[in-house]
């Protein structure tokens, strides 16, 4: 039995979550769901966007499914990542049929360090003698500990998922100390995986941004620091299609949270227009994390079928099915 924390959140978060749970039902897994409140509506009701009760539900769970929050998203999701020490952010770049992405033959994973780098929130103003702000600085933290942990994760992921190469991405020619350290640690870990026949290569982040466009098929697993990972993973999303199709995972040592990349989409909320695919693909990532590989494959096949038929898909994919109808179609493919 798995304890699954479920946080639907705001707007289409609630709609795509309902769709995902409908589809998961068809797999007959031994799941016990516990629902938690978070987001804008929760703040209106309780005065805070992320109650301790919700944090506790997530902490007690084996894994968490998160829909989307609205304006309070940063307070909710960033806080949860910190509370749970969700150090690895996983963003698959995988082509699905019927998307309007640039490529239809991609399948690789971006592993982003999620706890340090440029996003530690240490910024300072530089003031002149009269106190006018004349500039600002930002501190960038790279530790051996976090670099090791994320590189280990990436190589282990490669090994567990039959990938043959890991690409380390940095800017060590300019950021000699911070990214110099990251690169050094990357190759230390790579050495341990030589016997597993997993190849290691490294590129500068600017070159990688170009290679993602010119030869994205050459990547299998990319591992990089926080800011670079944030940017490259959005570039990756652009390679394979719209927001309605892009899932993500936040992985920690004891728990993990799975969420679509999109937000609460107030422009389409409540109209049944939301594409449930990103949320369902996030649920597939959760199944993989829990070790339910067969179930993950089964569900992936069902989604592939519905997407390639193109008959029961939502408006963003050129169809006229509602969120619920698309979920039902996926469910029918399973059974
Ligand atoms: P958004 O992702 O909510 O929407 C961007 C555009 O994509 C909209 O036109 C929307 O209709 C469309 N879209 C998004 N998901 C879709 C889906 N599943 N199916 C069909 N169309 C979809 O981003 P936006 O508009 O920048 O932000 C809206 C709210 O969401 C804001 O309050 C923001 O703070 C929040 N947000 C929350 C996130 C989270 O909870 N992790 C992430 C991003 C934004
Ligand atoms: Mg981003």
């Amino acid at each position: 039995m798995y304890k699954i924390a479920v946080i639907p959140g705001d707007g289409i978060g609630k709609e795509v979550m309902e769709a995902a749970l409908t589809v998961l039902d068809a797999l007959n897994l031994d799941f016990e769901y516990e629902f938690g409140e978070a987001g804008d509506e929760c703040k209106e009701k309780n005065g805070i966007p992320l109650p301790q009760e919700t944090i506790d539900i997530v902490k007690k769970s084996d894994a968490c499914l998160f829909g989307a929050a609205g304006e309070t998203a940063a307070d909710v999701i960033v806080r949860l990542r910190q509370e749970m020490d969700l150090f690895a952010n996983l963003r698959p770049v995988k082509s699905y049929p019927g998307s309007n992405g640039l490529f239809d033959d991609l399948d690789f994973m971006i592993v982003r360090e999620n706890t340090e780098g440029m996003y530690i929130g240490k910024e300072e103003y530089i003031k002149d003698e009269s106190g006018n702000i004349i500039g600002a600085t930002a501190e960038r933290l790279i530790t051996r500990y976090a670099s090791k942990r994320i590189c280990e994760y990436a190589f282990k992921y490669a090994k567990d998922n039959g990938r043959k190469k890991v690409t380390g991405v940095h800017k060590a020619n300019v950021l000699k100390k911070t990214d110099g350290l990251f690169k050094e640690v990357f190759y230390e870990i790579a050495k341990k995986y030589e016997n597993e026949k997993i190849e290691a290569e490294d590129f500068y982040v600017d070159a990688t941004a170009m290679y993602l466009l010119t030869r994205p098929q050459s990547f299998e697993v990319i591992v990089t620091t926080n800011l670079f990972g944030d940017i490259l993973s959005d570039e990756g999303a652009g390679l394979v299609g719209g927001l309605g199709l892009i899932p993500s995972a936040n992985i920690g040592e004891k728990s993990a949270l799975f969420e679509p990349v999109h937000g609460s989409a107030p422009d389409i909320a409540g109209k049944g227009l939301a594409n449930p695919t990103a949320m369902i693909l996030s649920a597939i990532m959760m199944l993989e994390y829990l070790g339910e590989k067969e179930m993950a494959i089964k569900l992936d096949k069902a989604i592939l079928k519905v997407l390639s038929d193109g008959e029961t898909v939502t408006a963003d994919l050129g169809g006229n099915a509602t969120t619920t109808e698309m979920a039902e179609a996926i469910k029918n493919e399973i059974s």
Side-chain angles (χ1 to χ4, degrees):
M1 202 260 295
Y2 298 108
K3 267 197 173 150
I4 309 296
V6 179
I7 306 176
D10 299 313
I12 67 164
K14 289 185 282 190
E15 299 165 45
V16 296
M17 184 64 81
E18 199 183 310
L21 296 182
T22 301
V23 170
L24 283 174
D25 261 359
L27 294 173
N28 286 320
L29 289 149
D30 198 3
F31 277 180
E32 186 185 286
Y33 296 120
E34 223 182 319
F35 288 78
E37 287 181 311
D40 296 5
E41 268 185 38
C42 172
K43 189 178 175 185
E44 254 170 58
K45 209 174 115 195
N46 308 305
I48 41 169
L50 183 64
Q52 186 59 42
E53 198 188 327
T54 303
I55 297 175
D56 291 341
I57 290 175
V58 179
K59 280 193 170 161
K60 276 188 307 185
S61 69
D62 295 304
C64 173
L65 285 173
F66 183 86
E71 291 306 306
T72 55
D75 301 326
V76 173
I77 201 74
V78 175
R79 174 92 195 281
L80 276 173
R81 281 178 190 155
Q82 285 166 348
E83 284 277 341
M84 320 300 297
D85 193 21
L86 303 174
F87 66 90
N89 187 235
L90 265 60
R91 290 266 295 265
V93 181
K94 186 170 173 184
S95 308
Y96 280 93
S99 74
N100 36 22
L102 297 172
F103 295 89
D104 56 13
D105 57 350
L106 303 186
D107 185 8
F108 60 91
M109 184 63 86
I110 298 179
V111 179
R112 161 189 168 194
E113 204 290 321
N114 222 5
T115 66
E116 56 175 34
M118 210 68 205
Y119 290 168
I120 52 170
K122 287 202 176 159
E123 291 193 297
E124 295 291 342
Y125 284 121
I126 305 167
K127 293 179 180 169
D128 67 10
E129 281 145 24
S130 333
N132 301 312
I133 295 166
I134 55 164
T137 62
E139 201 177 306
R140 180 171 189 263
L141 175 74
I142 301 290
T143 64
R144 196 176 277 283
Y145 168 75
S147 303
K148 222 174 144 175
R149 184 160 75 161
I150 198 70
C151 289
E152 273 283 3
Y153 189 89
F155 277 94
K156 184 165 186 306
Y157 177 89
K159 184 187 160 198
D160 292 347
N161 291 276
R163 309 287 186 147
K164 295 283 170 245
K165 184 172 72 177
V166 180
T167 308
V169 175
H170 57 81
K171 188 72 181 173
N173 52 339
V174 179
L175 303 167
K176 289 194 171 70
K177 290 180 180 161
T178 49
D179 270 2
L181 181 63
F182 182 80
K183 183 180 167 184
E184 183 189 317
V185 171
F186 171 77
Y187 278 108
E188 273 170 27
I189 307 295
K191 233 179 155 52
K192 293 207 281 178
Y193 283 81
E194 269 171 10
N195 295 342
E196 314 280 351
K197 302 238 176 317
I198 293 170
E199 188 192 329
E201 66 178 6
D202 73 287
F203 294 131
Y204 298 132
V205 62
D206 44 353
T208 308
M210 181 183 69
Y211 295 150
L212 280 173
L213 288 169
T214 55
R215 52 175 178 88
Q217 297 84 356
S218 68
F219 292 107
E220 297 198 42
V221 177
I222 289 175
V223 62
T224 188
T225 52
N226 206 340
L227 168 66
F228 296 162
D230 192 11
I231 298 169
L232 294 181
S233 55
D234 272 19
E235 188 183 353
L239 297 175
V240 292
L243 274 175
L245 293 172
I246 317 286
S248 76
N250 296 276
I251 313 269
E253 249 132 56
K254 289 195 210 95
S255 51
L257 181 150
F258 302 83
E259 54 165 345
V261 168
H262 65 72
S264 61
D267 54 335
I268 58 165
K271 298 179 182 158
L273 290 171
N275 185 347
T277 307
M279 186 73 235
I280 297 172
L281 293 176
S282 304
I284 292 184
M285 294 183 84
M286 180 180 80
L287 292 172
E288 285 166 353
Y289 169 81
L290 293 171
E292 296 287 342
K293 280 226 162 101
E294 264 173 50
M295 291 298 171
I297 291 169
K298 203 168 170 182
L299 184 45
D300 197 58
K301 275 189 184 150
I303 292 182
L304 269 172
K305 179 76 168 54
V306 169
L307 288 174
S308 47
D309 285 352
E311 272 165 33
T312 322
V313 296
T314 44
D316 58 316
L317 300 177
N320 51 24
T322 63
T323 311
T324 315
E325 284 164 355
M326 188 167 173
E328 288 294 338
I330 296 166
K331 186 175 179 170
N332 290 338
E333 283 304 327
I334 297 170
S335 25

